[in-house]
Amino acid sequence: MSKQLSRHNPASNEFVKGESPFYWIARLNNIYHHRMERAMHKVGADLPTWRTLMILHENGTSSMSEISLHAVVKLPTITKIVYRLQERGLVTTNTSANDGRVTEVSMTPNGEVVLAEMRAATENVFTKGYDGLTPAKIARLNKMLIQLFDNLDHY
């Protein structure tokens, strides 16, 4: 490791936590979860519901594995979440026509209504979170985060 990066590596004696992107990512993730949970509590929702419905909204019908991957939640947990959402009438499940081992999940019209309520309830979290950031800055930040992700994903 170069001397230049030693302040960012916890294995180094020169490490300074406030200069580590991973420290700030962890802190950001924590405060994001707290703010989102608080905002969604007002409409009787939670973060797993948010993640699942947002994935279905963006991607359309998705397999349990796809939802698990993008929600960053283990497959058995996503399975429980999806069946809970199905009981509430927010999603439907079907066996894939291409592969009988795959369960596909789709959002219902009621799920779209609940998602709209959650989006309205959480809008201020994102408005405040992006305060002072331009679309160009957000794009640069995303590019750097993707690079960190790829570095570790291909490790």
Side-chain angles (χ1 to χ4, degrees), residues 33-60:
H33 280 160
H34 285 291
R35 299 294 186 263
M36 289 293 286
E37 287 286 356
R38 186 181 326 157
M40 285 186 286
H41 181 74
K42 297 173 186 173
V43 294
D46 58 25
L47 209 48
T49 299
W50 163 264
R51 286 181 179 172
T52 303
L53 294 182
M54 284 297 293
I55 290 163
L56 293 172
H57 178 77
E58 183 176 348
N59 297 348

Side-chain angles (χ1 to χ4, degrees), residues 28 123-133 138:
L28 173 62
E123 182 178 7
N124 288 338
V125 174
F126 297 99
T127 301
K128 184 63 179 169
Y130 292 132
D131 190 36
L133 296 176
I138 293 169

